[in-house]
């Protein structure tokens, strides 16, 4: 029988035939596709003809299609619908993929061909995009260790393989801790909780098959529990479990893994001639240097810390007024902040939530894309990997643009957080292909499903990433969509969040789940007025994480990352009632792979740009100004990594932004 992962996908839009794929198909398909890609690379490297852009660079772009297909399906289900078989396969595949990647980057014959093309680049009649692909390919090989020889070359391969294994272990340990822990709630424990939290707890209990409501470590459940539960003892217990993910001792403890990852990263950077891993990593980003990152973060840290300390004093008074003596604790902050928000802004999350129906917020995100970029969305009936998933055909002027898949609900088989990925990226070479883009979230189920305002913002954020993929219009897949500098990739996503706050969007799509009535103007004004509420807390917990990440990588790797974390927070004067958004043992952004290592700051770097970019629409007089939207698509969303990120932003805005718009946007400006 033909393996469905290796066959031609004769399906609508050439989507993966999920209804025909079983876990047993992955390993044989992976091995066959891996061998095919090795053969492709060997043929390019051993080509007797003189190296050209076509027979080397473009040949590499076209190689490995079968492996891409297999891995696009596997990593989608491994992250969003894992099971023991898929976790075992991930542990098996990761070192093999790392070794394969290392073999390619260390292939001396292949690098020799690339180097000769690079050195002759000024004599070649290359397009601007081809010049960019050549530069990125050459730079990637050099940074991957292609110029290393002998023992250093062999050691680099070992480091890459070991890092792949450790990243997988870190992720799976975190998933295990998040999946296994839950706190049963008696009926009396539900008192004081709004209906949507009670419903989410009952749904979580059904999924766990425990016959009653529970609190899990899903953010969409534990955060509202911490916001609303009057039971301080239960809040403390839940928060302790949330904070301890990856640090519970035993087989799932991530602390030694983090230490080994940091040590190997330092060694990797030094093999390549860099002073530190941060110097190595940031060289290709907009920030360029650790010093530039630190300057940005500290410019925001001081006003954020001052705001947080002032807020802590207010919340402490509220807690004492409740008869609770002592200091404000991390499990108290969200509870008293919610009470304060209700008192100062007369904004009750429980009253607000029925107006934020998941289906209506999806409609809102689509409608904004229609008005801005002319995209239309029609739901598809196609087999997908889980019954919760939905798919849409995305068109413009009647022509197919992309397939968009949404996987919105939390479940035990899904890792935490929210993300966007392309199961197939846009490209025109070696043939035209439209993207297949997926947003994965972890919202609580309900009938109907209701979102918090933060949830709704997350939905818009991830859809901003999806637009970056869907509107991509480049030739080569290696620079398509979100294949951009890490501190630029969050610009489209964070910018798109602003449309959730456009009054006319909420007025039309924030309708009550039971009555269908629009959000009252009074509530709408309160929502927008409270947009910057508790920004001291939000900014401090984020910036602290970014500064710890930077400290881990800009000097010698700490032998004890937890001690280093404590040292950094002490030097910052971290407010006692606020913890890092991601403490080291569950800092998946940094330790599940290299993606955000030394780069967690990039959300804030991008926010500097997104605050400034949305001002372009304000200056034009409308959040839907067609000329500004056209410029945004032309210079940011369609260009992928075909041009340096800084140049792209300057083309859109005419200049690079300063930190002032960010501080103003967060309400932290003096």
């Amino acid at each position: 029988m033909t393996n469905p992962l290796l066959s031609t996908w004769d399906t609508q839009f050439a989507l993966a035939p999920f209804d025909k794929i079983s876990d047993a198909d992955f390993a044989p398909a992976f091995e066959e596709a891996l061998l095919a890609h090795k053969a492709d690379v060997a043929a390019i490297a051993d080509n007797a003809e003189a190296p050209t852009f076509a027979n080397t660079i473009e040949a590499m772009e076209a190689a490995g299609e079968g492996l891409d297909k297999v891995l696009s399906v596997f990593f989608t289900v491994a992250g969003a619908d894992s099971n023991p078989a898929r976790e075992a396969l991930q542990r098996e595949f990761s070192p093999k993929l790392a070794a394969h990647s290392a073999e390619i980057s260390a292939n001396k014959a292949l690098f020799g061909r690339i180097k000769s093309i690079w050195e002759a680049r000024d004599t070649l009649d290359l397009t601007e995009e081809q010049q960019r692909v050549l530069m990125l390919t050459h730079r990637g090989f050099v940074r991957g260790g292609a110029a290393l020889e002998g023992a250093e070359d062999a050691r680099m391969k070992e480091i890459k393989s070991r890092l792949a294994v450790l990243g997988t272990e870190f992720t799976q340990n975190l998933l295990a801790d998040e999946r296994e822990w839950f706190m049963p709630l008696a009926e009396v424990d539900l008192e004081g909780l709004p209906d949507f939290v009670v419903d989410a707890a009952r749904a979580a209990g059904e999924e766990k098959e425990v016959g009653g409501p529970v609190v899990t470590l899903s953010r969409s459940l534990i955060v509202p529990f911490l916001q609303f539960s009057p039971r301080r003892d239960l809040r403390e217990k839940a928060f302790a479990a949330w904070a301890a993910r990856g640090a519970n001792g035993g087989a799932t403890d991530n602390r030694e893994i983090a230490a080994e990852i940091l040590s190997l990263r330092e060694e990797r950077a030094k093999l390549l001639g860099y002073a530190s891993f941060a110097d190595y990593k940031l060289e290709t980003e907009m920030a360029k240097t650790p010093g530039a990152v630190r300057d940005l973060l500290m410019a925001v840290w001081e006003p954020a810390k001052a705001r947080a300390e002032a807020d802590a004093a207010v919340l402490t008074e509220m807690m004492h007024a409740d008869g609770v003596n002592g200091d404000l604790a991390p499990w108290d902050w969200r509870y008293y902040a919610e009470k304060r928000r209700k008192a100062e802004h007369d904004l009750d999350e429980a009253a607000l939530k029925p107006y934020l129906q998941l289906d209506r917020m999806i409609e809102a995100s689509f409608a904004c894309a229609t008005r801005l970029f002319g995209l239309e969305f029609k739901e598809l009936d196609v087999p997908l990997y889980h019954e919760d998933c939905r798919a849409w055909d995305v068109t413009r002027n009647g022509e197919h643009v992309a397939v968009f898949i949404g996987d919105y609900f939390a479940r035990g088989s899904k890792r935490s957080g929210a993300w966007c990925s392309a199961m197939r990226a846009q490209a025109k070479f070696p043939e035209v292909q439209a993207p297949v883009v997926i947003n994965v979230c972890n919202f609580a189920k309900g009938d109907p499903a209701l979102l918090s305002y933060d949830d709704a913002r997350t939905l818009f954020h991830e859809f901003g990433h999806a637009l970056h993929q869907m509107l991509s219009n480049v030739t080569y897949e290696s620079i398509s969509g979100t294949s951009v500098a890490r501190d630029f990739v969050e610009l489209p996503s964070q910018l798109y969040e602003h449309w959730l706050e456009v009054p006319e969007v909420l007025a039309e799509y924030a309708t009550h789940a039971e009555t269908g009535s629009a959000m009252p103007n009074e509530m709408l004004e309160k929502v927008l007025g409270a947009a910057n509420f508790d920004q001291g807390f939000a900014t401090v917990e984020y910036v602290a994480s970014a500064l710890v990440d930077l400290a881990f990588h800009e000097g010698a790797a700490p032998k004890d990352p937890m001690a280093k974390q404590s040292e950094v927070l002490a030097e910052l004067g971290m407010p006692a009632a606020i913890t890092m958004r991601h403490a080291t043992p569950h800092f998946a952004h940094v330790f599940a792979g290299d993606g955000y290592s030394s780069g967690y700051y990039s959300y804030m770097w991008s926010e500097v740009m997104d605050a400034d970019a949305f001002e372009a629409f304000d200056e034009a007089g409308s959040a839907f100004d067609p000329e500004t939207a056209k410029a945004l698509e032309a210079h940011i969303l369609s260009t992928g990594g075909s041009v340096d990120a800084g140049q792209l932003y300057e083309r859109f805005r005419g200049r690079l932004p300063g930190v002032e718009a960010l501080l103003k946007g967060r309400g932290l400006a003096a």
Side-chain angles (χ1 to χ4, degrees), residues 574-652:
M574 182 77 169
I578 304 179
T579 59
M580 293 167 62
R581 182 171 299 177
H582 304 290
T584 299
H586 53 260
F587 207 163
H589 282 79
V590 170
F591 292 106
D594 275 357
Y596 281 91
S597 55
S598 295
Y600 193 61
Y601 76 92
S602 59
Y603 289 94
M604 186 143 284
W605 191 276
S606 294
E607 189 177 342
V608 169
M609 289 184 287
D610 86 63
D612 179 71
F614 195 70
E615 283 191 352
F617 286 90
D618 287 340
E619 291 163 9
S622 168
F624 295 98
D625 177 68
E627 292 304 313
T628 310
K630 186 183 297 183
L632 178 65
E633 180 178 352
H635 299 307
I636 305 292
L637 297 176
S638 69
T639 49
S642 62
V643 180
D644 175 79
Q647 292 179 35
L648 288 177
Y649 192 84
E650 288 193 56
R651 290 178 186 180
F652 170 61

Side-chain angles (χ1 to χ4, degrees), residues 178-213:
E178 291 174 343
R179 181 176 55 220
E180 298 304 321
W181 187 91
F182 61 88
M183 181 174 69
L185 298 176
E187 290 300 313
V188 68
D189 300 333
L190 301 175
E191 291 178 10
L193 295 177
D195 290 344
F196 75 86
V197 181
V198 174
D199 292 344
R202 293 194 191 283
E206 288 179 15
E207 196 215 348
K208 296 293 184 187
E209 299 180 347
V210 296

Side-chain angles (χ1 to χ4, degrees), residues 457-510:
R457 186 181 288 114
T458 296
L459 187 145
F460 269 70
H461 178 102
E462 297 306 333
F463 194 68
H465 281 309
L467 288 171
H468 201 181
Q469 296 277 19
M470 292 190 286
L471 292 172
S472 179
N473 185 25
V474 299
T475 302
Y476 300 103
E477 186 172 334
S478 65
I479 55 169
S480 174
T482 57
S483 298
V484 298
R486 180 65 62 178
D487 49 7
F488 191 72
V489 75
E490 296 298 336
L491 169 59
S493 54
Q494 293 179 186
L495 176 58
Y496 205 65
E497 293 178 30
H498 288 273
W499 275 275
L500 175 62
E501 298 177 353
V502 173
E504 62 190 278
V505 174
L506 284 173
E508 182 172 358
Y509 293 97

Side-chain angles (χ1 to χ4, degrees), residues 23-253:
D23 287 348
D25 295 320
F26 285 120
F30 172 76
E31 295 297 340
E32 186 172 332
L34 188 66
L35 286 174
H37 191 217
K38 287 176 184 286
D40 289 344
V41 173
I44 298 167
D46 299 337
N47 190 341
E49 297 178 5
T52 65
F53 187 86
N55 70 20
T56 303
I57 306 300
E58 286 191 332
M60 288 172 61
E61 289 280 332
E65 179 191 3
L67 186 60
D68 288 343
K69 285 174 63 176
V70 173
L71 295 179
S72 73
V73 176
F74 176 72
F75 282 115
T76 294
V77 298
D81 192 27
S82 191
N83 60 32
R86 292 168 186 173
E87 290 181 8
L89 287 169
Q90 196 169 3
R91 291 191 294 271
E92 178 186 340
F93 291 173
S94 291
K96 291 181 179 180
L97 283 171
H100 178 53
S101 175
E103 285 172 15
I104 294 173
S105 62
N107 187 313
K108 304 306 178 188
L110 181 59
F111 179 57
R113 295 179 69 86
I114 295 167
K115 186 178 180 183
S116 68
I117 300 167
W118 171 250
E119 290 173 345
R121 62 190 181 280
D122 292 338
T123 67
L124 306 176
D125 186 21
L126 301 179
T127 66
E128 182 182 5
E129 188 175 329
Q130 288 173 331
Q131 292 173 32
R132 177 75 173 171
V133 170
L134 174 59
M135 184 279 289
L136 292 172
T137 303
H138 178 261
R139 187 177 74 181
F141 268 73
V142 172
R143 287 170 57 80
L148 297 177
E149 301 284 351
E152 290 184 338
D153 186 20
R155 180 57 182 156
M156 180 63 79
K157 291 178 183 177
E158 292 174 356
I159 289 171
K160 288 181 177 180
S161 179
R162 181 61 178 159
L163 283 171
V165 171
L166 292 170
T168 298
E169 288 181 1
F170 189 98
T171 302
Q172 293 189 351
N173 288 346
L174 180 55
L175 177 61
D177 279 3
E178 291 174 343
R179 181 176 55 220
E180 298 304 321
W181 187 91
F182 61 88
M183 181 174 69
L185 298 176
E187 290 300 313
V188 68
D189 300 333
L190 301 175
E191 291 178 10
L193 295 177
D195 290 344
F196 75 86
V197 181
V198 174
D199 292 344
R202 293 194 191 283
E206 288 179 15
E207 196 215 348
K208 296 293 184 187
E209 299 180 347
V210 296
V214 301
V215 173
T216 68
L217 296 180
S218 168
R219 179 175 284 271
S220 62
L221 178 50
I222 194 168
V223 168
F225 181 80
L226 292 169
Q227 280 180 297
F228 292 105
S229 175
R231 288 282 301 279
R232 193 178 192 228
D233 58 331
L234 296 182
R235 295 201 311 268
E236 181 177 4
K237 183 178 179 181
F239 186 88
W242 199 32
R245 289 170 295 157
N248 287 302
T252 62
D253 198 293

